[in-house]
């Protein structure tokens, strides 16, 4: 990649996360800024995943930079999962203690005949309820089973409670893209600063779990 995006501009505290994950199967770098403008520079070696990550950045107003090298000559599974892991860890890092955020987000996104609802809670407790019924086994070369695997990885490493519901849809591409757009908008709503919180943790307990946090 060329020069990195500036993720420290604007927003409260310039909330950002940076992860470098190396395994025997992949080498993944993720930089994520919560208070961004939707700038995106991604290259994972999985074209459809790149397309979906652009939707996440654009509609979530995240500044997102991702580079990944993996064993895609075998299949896309390891790269898809490890990108999801690194995105989840970067999100947890950027959220920190989660002070001052709205915490909850929900959005229902249409794309032609497809309609997908996403509801999430930055609870610190990982949970995924996944309701997509994707008719095609592949979108281009991308195995549609990997959509669920991506969100499992994000959820487990960010500490999100995430519910995905497909309300309508026939076209596989439309269904998945509507899902990513709904997730992006719900996440944007949840992580934005609530001016009435005054830096407090949005929980009656005064603390949120940090299951996805590092260190």
């Amino acid at each position: 990649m060329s020069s990195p995006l500036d993720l420290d501009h604007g927003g409260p505290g310039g909330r950002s996360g940076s992860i470098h994950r190396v395994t025997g199967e992949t080498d993944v770098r993720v930089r994520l800024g919560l208070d961004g403008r939707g700038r995106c520079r991604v290259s994972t070696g999985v074209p459809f995943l790149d397309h979906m990550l652009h939707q996440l950045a654009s509609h979530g107003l995240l500044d997102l930079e991702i580079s990944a090298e993996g064993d895609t000559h075998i299949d896309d599974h390891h790269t898809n999962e490890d990108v999801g892991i690194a995105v989840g860890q970067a999100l947890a890092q950027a959220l920190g203690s989660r002070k001052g955020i709205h915490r909850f987000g929900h959005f229902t996104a249409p794309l032609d005949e497809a309609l997908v609802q996403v509801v999430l809670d930055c609870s610190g407790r990982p949970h995924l309820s996944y309701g997509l019924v994707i008719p095609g086994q592949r979108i281009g070369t991308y195995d549609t089973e990997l959509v669920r695997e991506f969100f499992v990885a994000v959820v487990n490493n960010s500490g999100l409670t995430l519910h995905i519901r497909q309300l309508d849809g026939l076209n596989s591409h439309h269904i998945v893209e509507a899902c990513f757009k709904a997730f992006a908008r719900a996440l944007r709503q949840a992580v934005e600063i609530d001016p009435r919180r005054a830096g407090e943790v949005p929980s009656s307990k005064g603390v949120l779990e940090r299951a996805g946090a590092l260190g």
Side-chain angles (χ1 to χ4, degrees):
M1 285 189 179
S2 55
S3 60
L5 299 178
D6 174 15
L7 302 187
D8 299 322
H9 70 279
R15 300 174 298 164
S16 64
S18 181
I19 299 294
H20 184 200
R21 174 181 171 82
V22 181
T23 72
E25 299 160 340
T26 64
D27 185 336
V28 179
R29 293 179 185 270
V30 171
R31 298 178 73 240
L32 180 152
L34 294 180
D35 305 302
R37 300 196 298 270
R39 298 178 300 173
C40 186
R41 187 182 296 149
V42 299
S43 178
T44 67
V46 183
F48 184 75
L49 180 60
D50 287 358
H51 179 43
M52 292 302 100
L53 292 168
H54 275 277
Q55 303 307 313
L56 177 58
S58 176
H59 296 281
L61 285 184
L62 304 175
D63 285 347
L64 190 60
E65 183 173 10
I66 301 176
S67 65
E69 296 180 1
D71 54 1
T72 53
H73 60 284
I74 298 174
D75 66 14
D76 296 336
H77 182 94
H78 296 142
T79 299
N80 180 85
E81 181 178 37
D82 285 3
V83 168
I85 289 170
V87 167
Q89 291 175 345
L91 177 58
Q93 192 180 92
L95 283 170
S97 67
R98 295 164 165 80
K99 287 183 179 180
I101 65 171
H102 283 278
R103 176 179 165 178
F104 299 96
H106 63 90
F107 199 83
T108 303
L111 180 55
D112 296 346
E113 89 299 340
L115 188 65
V116 177
Q117 179 188 59
V118 169
V119 182
L120 62 84
D121 177 8
C122 297
S123 61
R125 298 184 301 274
H127 174 82
L128 175 64
S129 180
Y130 179 85
L132 295 189
V133 181
I134 305 170
Q137 184 177 352
R138 293 190 179 277
I139 302 172
T141 61
Y142 186 80
D143 187 340
T144 53
E145 288 185 349
L146 297 182
V147 177
R148 183 181 185 279
E149 298 308 313
F150 176 82
F151 283 109
V152 167
V154 171
V155 160
N156 285 342
N157 289 275
S158 63
L160 289 181
T161 297
L162 176 62
H163 290 259
I164 298 171
R165 290 287 177 268
Q166 180 180 326
L167 305 179
D168 208 346
L170 297 171
N171 180 282
S172 298
H173 191 135
H174 293 170
I175 292 165
V176 177
E177 187 166 335
C179 172
F180 271 83
K181 288 177 176 176
F183 175 67
R185 289 298 298 263
L187 184 63
R188 172 182 166 185
Q189 184 182 101
V191 304
E192 285 184 342
I193 296 297
D194 183 348
R196 298 175 62 189
R197 283 288 179 191
E200 297 176 355
V201 174
S203 170
S204 58
K205 296 184 294 185
V207 65
L208 289 171
E209 303 296 333
R210 297 188 65 190
L214 302 178

